[in-house]
């Protein structure tokens, strides 16, 4: 093989190797920032069709309605714990920070963070709906009730009314 062909072959090999290395680093970076969306029912039962459930330690986004009576706040810090549900079992969300102004019981939210235990999410971000008719599209699709509110049994107050 003459030296000119050898140089071209070496250059082409280096170029292909460089492009492959860049593509693999790019895919790795995108994969590590990927947050899959789940509903509370899908965490317990798995995705419909595949049965895939999130693993402990996996970062996920979860959407649903805040279960009335489930919000517990720590009086000494910004820590809050609450449950969200769609049409099935509830999932516990733990969050340390300022909740959105629109956050309240019975309203739709989306939380993002790692699953630290089965059906327990340590949220790094909590997003609330922006108006009375809004529900996150993923939640609405998963629940099959595009613009309907879920109704929960209100907890009974003992000892009279307010």
């Amino acid at each position: 093989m003459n030296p000119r062909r050898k140089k071209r072959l070496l250059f082409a090999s280096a170029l292909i190797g460089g492009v492959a290395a860049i593509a693999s680093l790019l895919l790795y970076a995108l994969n590590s920032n990927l947050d899959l969306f789940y509903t509370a029912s899908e965490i317990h039962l798995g995705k419909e069709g595949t049965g895939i459930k999130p693993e402990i330690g996996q970062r996920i986004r979860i959407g649903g309605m805040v279960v009335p009576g489930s919000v517990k706040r720590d009086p000494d810090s910004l820590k809050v714990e609450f449950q969200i549900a769609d049409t099935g079992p509830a999932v516990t969300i733990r969050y340390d920070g300022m909740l959105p102004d629109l956050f309240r019981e019975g309203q739709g939210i989306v939380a993002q963070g790692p699953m630290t235990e089965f059906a327990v999410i340590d949220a790094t971000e909590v997003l609330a709906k922006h108006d009375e008719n809004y529900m996150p599209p993923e939640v609405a699709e998963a629940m099959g009730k595009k613009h309907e509110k879920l109704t929960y049994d209100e907890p009974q107050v003992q000892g009279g009314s307010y």
Side-chain angles (χ1 to χ4, degrees):
M1 188 181 295
N2 76 30
R4 192 172 189 182
R5 279 191 183 167
K6 200 173 197 178
K7 266 187 177 178
R8 284 183 187 167
L9 183 61
L10 187 60
F11 178 73
S13 301
L15 184 65
I16 290 172
V19 168
I22 290 171
S24 63
L25 288 173
L26 182 65
L27 288 174
Y28 176 76
L30 290 175
N31 192 28
S32 65
N33 289 328
L34 183 66
D35 296 326
L36 298 176
F37 182 83
Y38 287 89
T39 63
S41 295
E42 289 174 339
I43 290 198
H44 288 277
L45 307 172
K47 289 270 189 189
E48 189 175 326
T50 61
I52 296 173
K53 294 181 182 180
E55 299 173 4
I56 293 180
Q58 180 180 350
R59 279 181 51 112
I60 62 171
R61 293 185 83 167
I62 181 168
M65 307 296 264
V66 179
V67 177
S70 69
V71 179
K72 298 174 188 157
R73 297 177 190 269
D74 184 0
D76 300 327
S77 68
L78 294 175
K79 292 181 182 177
V80 65
E81 183 177 303
F82 57 93
Q83 292 187 331
I84 63 172
D86 51 0
T87 57
V91 171
T92 301
I93 307 291
R94 295 181 189 145
Y95 183 63
D96 187 7
M98 295 287 292
L99 288 169
D101 290 339
L102 297 173
F103 178 89
R104 62 181 143 314
E105 296 177 351
Q107 300 298 316
I109 64 121
V110 173
Q112 178 176 319
M115 186 165 77
T116 54
E117 303 171 35
F118 179 74
V120 176
I121 310 295
D122 279 350
T124 56
E125 184 178 23
V126 174
L127 306 170
K129 69 182 195 77
H130 62 79
D131 74 12
E132 204 166 297
N133 298 320
Y134 177 75
M135 184 182 297
E138 297 94 344
V139 175
E141 181 182 319
M143 294 173 67
K145 299 177 180 182
K146 190 98 176 157
H147 292 287
E148 295 177 20
K149 279 186 159 182
L150 284 180
T151 57
Y152 296 96
D153 293 332
E154 293 294 325
Q156 298 296 321
V157 178
Q158 296 183 7
S161 61
Y162 296 102

